[in-house]
């Protein structure tokens, strides 16, 4: 939900109405970072569910929190300007 909200705020900030996905470079980076995270979310949920059933639920929950944190850091890094990432 955080990533989707960031896209909404960027759309408002740069005046890009849906369904457009191009415009200001900063908006495009935020939109692409959100799309990248959304593409892998079903895989994450299914693996988390299977790990919770067949392995220890606490370890699965810890790995899930670690995954969410790393996706958050990925989002922040991807949304930054390319010069700032280098």
């Amino acid at each position: 939900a955080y990533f989707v909200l960031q896209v909404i705020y960027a759309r408002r900030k740069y005046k890009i109405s849906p369904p457009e996905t191009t415009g200001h470079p900063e908006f495009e980076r935020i939109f692409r970072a959100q799309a990248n995270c959304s593409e892998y979310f079903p895989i994450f949920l299914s693996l988390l569910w299977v790990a919770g059933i067949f392995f220890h639920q606490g370890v699965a929950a810890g790995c899930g929190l670690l995954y969410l944190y790393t996706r958050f850091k990925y989002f922040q890094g991807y949304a930054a300007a390319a010069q700032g990432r280098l």
Side-chain angles (χ1 to χ4, degrees):
Y2 171 77
F3 303 144
V4 172
L5 288 175
Q6 295 305 308
V7 172
I8 292 170
Y9 297 147
R11 281 189 186 278
R12 290 179 184 160
K13 182 177 180 180
Y14 300 109
K15 296 175 178 56
I16 300 171
S17 59
E20 294 179 33
T21 58
T22 58
H24 195 275
E26 187 172 336
F27 166 75
E28 290 181 12
R29 286 193 307 269
I30 292 171
F31 180 79
R32 190 66 235 159
Q34 184 266 337
N36 288 347
C37 293
S38 297
E39 290 168 356
Y40 288 99
F41 197 68
I43 297 169
F44 160 69
L45 283 180
S46 57
L47 287 175
L48 186 67
W49 180 62
V50 169
I53 290 175
F54 292 109
F55 302 108
H56 193 270
Q57 291 179 356
V59 174
C63 290
L65 289 174
L66 178 65
Y67 175 82
L68 292 176
Y69 176 74
T70 56
R71 271 293 163 179
F72 174 71
K73 295 305 281 182
Y74 168 82
F75 183 86
Q76 287 181 329
Y78 199 101
Q83 294 80 11
R85 290 183 291 205
L86 301 175

